[in-house]
């Protein structure tokens, strides 16, 4: 979402999606991160104002039905000059600030969202469809900027080091995946495979899907990044249906996990950010100005149907 509402290609997004959700009985509207910044030039002070713009555009959708996840541009953005070169991601919000800006309104509008104490990831159950939605923060960080949000750590700035982090991975493995019988989990995150500790995340997902055990660890450059985990899912209930991510800004299907599909989604608006050879032109004021998938899961046939609203095509994904 562009901070200038008149420049945005998503002015009709909330209206159309709210109508479809109401007509078809769709319970939730979910985002794949990178919600409300246009480029890495924005400063942290802009995020609250950007969030207001986003919620205004989504206003027809009840806030309690919005499942928002954060990406690398949500609270971790900006650039500076260092040794004659432009260095990105030198400005960022702390976890506490990110929790406040992007998630306070979610806690206030839906008490059924189970947030961890960190406040940037959560899960919620739909008892009607026996679905658990697990929203993870793949840019979990304990780096904190100064009063202007500036982070002086060079390693952070050069790689912007995405992580799930030990606290989130432990909560995901022991609490979020502790599902009632016959439930299916939909995991939504921003860029799973790019996370430095992705191997641990993958180990958990694969062990759960295979009803097996897993022991793994990740050693980071900072103590707070390192994690060690052991899980036993031999007697677990439920299944992981799919992982959805948005970081690559294109429609794609990945085999990062042994049996669970990883579905990449294109940008909702942001015509300038779409990627891939098949990216279609977005024309403002037409049905192609945005792209949203209606996700339908047939758990008997084990098929995920993605019905496209706007630019792009429908997809059928077995799982």
């Amino acid at each position: 979402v562009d901070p200038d509402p008149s420049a945005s290609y998503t002015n009709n997004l909330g209206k159309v999606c709210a109508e479809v959700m109401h007509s078809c009985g769709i319970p939730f509207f979910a985002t794949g991160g990178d919600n409300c910044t246009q480029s890495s030039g924005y400063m942290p002070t802009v995020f609250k104002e950007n969030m207001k713009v986003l919620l205004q555009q989504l206003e027809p959708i009840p806030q309690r039905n919005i499942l928002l996840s954060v990406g690398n541009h949500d609270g971790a953005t900006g650039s500076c000059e260092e040794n004659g070169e432009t260095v990105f991601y030198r400005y960022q919000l702390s976890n506490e600030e990110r929790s406040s800006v992007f998630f306070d309104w979610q806690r206030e509008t839906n008490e059924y969202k189970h947030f961890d104490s960190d406040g940037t990831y959560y899960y919620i159950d739909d008892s009607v469809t026996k679905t658990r939605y697990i929203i993870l923060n793949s840019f979990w960080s304990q780096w904190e900027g100064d009063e202007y949000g500036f982070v002086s750590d060079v390693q952070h700035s050069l790689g912007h080091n995405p992580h799930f982090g030990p606290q989130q991975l432990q909560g995901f493995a022991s609490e979020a995946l502790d599902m009632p019988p016959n439930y299916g989990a939909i995991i939504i995150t921003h860029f799973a495979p790019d996370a430095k500790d992705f191997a641990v995340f993958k180990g958990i997902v694969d062990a759960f899907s295979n009803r097996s055990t897993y022991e793994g660890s990740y050693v980071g450059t900072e103590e707070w990044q390192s994690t060690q985990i052991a899980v036993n899912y031999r007697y677990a209930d439920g299944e992981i249906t799919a992982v959805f991510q948005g970081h690559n800004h294109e429609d794609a299907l990945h085999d990062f996990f042994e049996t669970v599909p990883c579905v990449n989604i294109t940008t909702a608006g942001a015509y300038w950010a779409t990627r891939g050879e098949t990216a279609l032109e977005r024309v403002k004021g037409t049905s192609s100005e945005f792209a949203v998938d209606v996700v339908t899961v047939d758990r008997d046939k084990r098929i995920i149907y993605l019905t496209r609203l706007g630019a792009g095509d429908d997809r059928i994904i077995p799982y």
Side-chain angles (χ1 to χ4, degrees):
V1 175
D2 195 296
D4 177 6
S6 65
S8 175
Y9 273 49
T10 53
N11 289 325
N12 295 311
L13 180 63
K15 300 174 188 176
V16 174
C17 290
E19 178 64 24
V20 173
M21 291 171 69
H22 176 73
S23 299
C24 301
I26 299 171
F28 293 110
F29 174 95
T31 78
D34 281 358
N35 299 282
C36 56
T37 57
Q38 184 179 13
S39 72
S40 56
Y42 291 125
M43 298 293 289
T45 52
V46 180
F47 286 112
K48 283 191 176 181
E49 208 54 45
N50 286 356
M51 198 69 232
K52 289 181 183 178
V53 173
L54 176 66
L55 292 179
Q56 286 171 358
Q57 295 193 352
L58 298 181
E59 191 172 13
I61 304 171
Q63 288 189 5
R64 65 180 292 109
N65 299 102
I66 297 175
L67 306 180
L68 181 141
S69 64
V70 290
N72 52 302
H73 283 284
D74 295 320
T77 184
S79 63
C80 69
E81 294 298 318
E82 184 173 288
N83 298 325
E85 296 183 0
T86 301
V87 181
F88 294 94
Y89 302 100
R90 288 301 293 264
Y91 300 93
Q92 79 167 55
L93 303 182
S94 66
N95 272 352
E96 183 179 358
E97 291 168 324
R98 188 177 289 112
S99 174
S100 173
V101 171
F102 294 100
F103 296 104
D104 271 359
W105 60 270
Q106 296 197 76
R107 282 186 284 270
E108 293 168 359
T109 57
N110 196 323
E111 68 277 16
Y112 296 106
K113 290 176 181 174
H114 299 269
F115 278 86
D116 189 272
S117 57
D118 175 80
T120 62
Y121 47 91
Y122 58 96
Y123 71 85
I124 185 170
D125 289 337
D126 181 356
S127 59
V128 175
T129 61
K130 296 187 183 303
T131 303
R132 173 165 292 184
Y133 298 92
I134 303 173
I135 317 298
L136 299 179
N137 174 11
S138 53
F139 200 88
W140 184 87
S141 170
Q142 287 191 0
W143 272 299
E144 294 190 19
D146 59 18
E147 59 182 314
Y148 304 105
F150 181 81
V151 180
S152 59
D153 187 284
V154 175
Q155 184 172 8
H156 164 74
S157 67
L158 295 177
H160 70 90
N161 278 350
H163 292 87
F164 288 106
Q167 178 179 329
Q168 184 173 198
L169 288 171
Q170 291 286 353
F172 169 63
S174 61
E175 297 179 29
L177 290 180
D178 184 15
M179 292 182 286
N182 302 317
Y183 264 59
I186 298 290
I187 299 172
I188 300 171
T189 189
H190 186 58
F191 50 122
D194 288 335
K196 305 295 183 182
D197 47 7
F198 172 72
V200 177
F201 178 66
K202 169 180 164 56
I204 295 169
V205 171
D206 288 342
F208 187 92
S209 300
N210 296 329
R211 291 296 190 264
S212 62
T213 62
Y214 169 74
E215 290 188 27
S217 63
Y218 167 78
V219 179
T221 56
E222 303 279 346
E223 185 178 351
W224 55 263
Q225 297 170 337
S226 300
T227 185
Q228 186 168 353
I229 200 163
V231 294
N232 182 348
Y233 293 124
R234 288 195 180 99
Y235 307 103
D237 288 312
E239 67 178 7
I240 298 175
T241 303
V243 175
F244 285 85
Q245 66 165 35
H247 179 63
N248 295 332
H249 299 190
E250 62 181 344
D251 295 324
L253 180 64
H254 305 286
D255 58 355
F256 300 132
F257 309 98
E258 290 182 7
T259 60
V260 175
C262 183
V263 184
N264 219 102
I265 54 176
T266 189
T267 55
Y271 68 94
W272 42 264
T274 54
R275 299 171 185 159
E277 296 179 358
T278 60
L280 300 177
E281 181 184 6
R282 309 289 176 86
V283 181
K284 193 169 183 178
T286 74
S287 60
S288 70
E289 70 177 18
F290 62 79
V292 175
D293 283 331
V294 176
V295 181
T296 309
V297 179
D298 187 328
R299 296 185 64 194
D300 292 329
K301 296 181 180 179
R302 303 189 69 76
I303 295 177
I304 301 169
Y305 298 93
L306 303 178
T307 306
R308 178 59 54 89
L309 300 178
D313 300 314
D314 298 347
R315 291 184 281 173
I316 298 177
I317 300 172
Y319 75 96

